[in-house]
Amino acid sequence: KPGKPAKSVKPADKEKTGPQPVPVAVADVNETNLEQERMKAAERIKAAEKEKRRAMVRKMLREIQQNPVGGLFE
């Protein structure tokens, strides 16, 4: 027996061109991926800012150790 075609295409469907509708499940997955990427980017920015603050504190402590401000009970 010859195999049947998987899906017959109507003549009107053959003429359709341009953007095709995106299934809702695919659109939801794309939105989820975008949101996750945004969250990761925000976390990276927060981590970079936190490291900058820590570096500033380390620098201040180093300067204080190298240049003490007077002695005890002046």
Side-chain angles (χ1 to χ4, degrees):
K1 295 178 180 180
K4 291 177 22 177
K7 181 180 174 186
S8 61
V9 180
K10 297 178 185 177
D13 290 343
K14 288 182 182 178
E15 295 175 7
K16 288 183 181 177
T17 58
Q20 299 296 319
V22 178
V24 174
V26 173
D28 287 343
V29 168
N30 289 342
E31 280 294 319
T32 301
N33 289 342
L34 287 174
E35 186 62 31
Q36 289 174 349
E37 289 299 318
R38 286 187 200 116
M39 289 174 61
K40 288 179 185 177
E43 289 173 9
R44 284 192 297 267
I45 291 170
K46 286 181 184 179
E49 290 173 353
K50 188 174 184 179
E51 183 55 34
K52 283 181 186 177
R53 289 192 302 271
R54 286 181 173 176
M56 288 184 348
V57 169
R58 286 192 299 267
K59 182 180 177 184
M60 287 175 20
L61 291 174
R62 223 177 4 257
E63 288 176 2
I64 290 171
Q65 287 176 344
Q66 291 172 354
N67 305 313
V69 184
L72 293 174
F73 305 107
E74 285 186 353

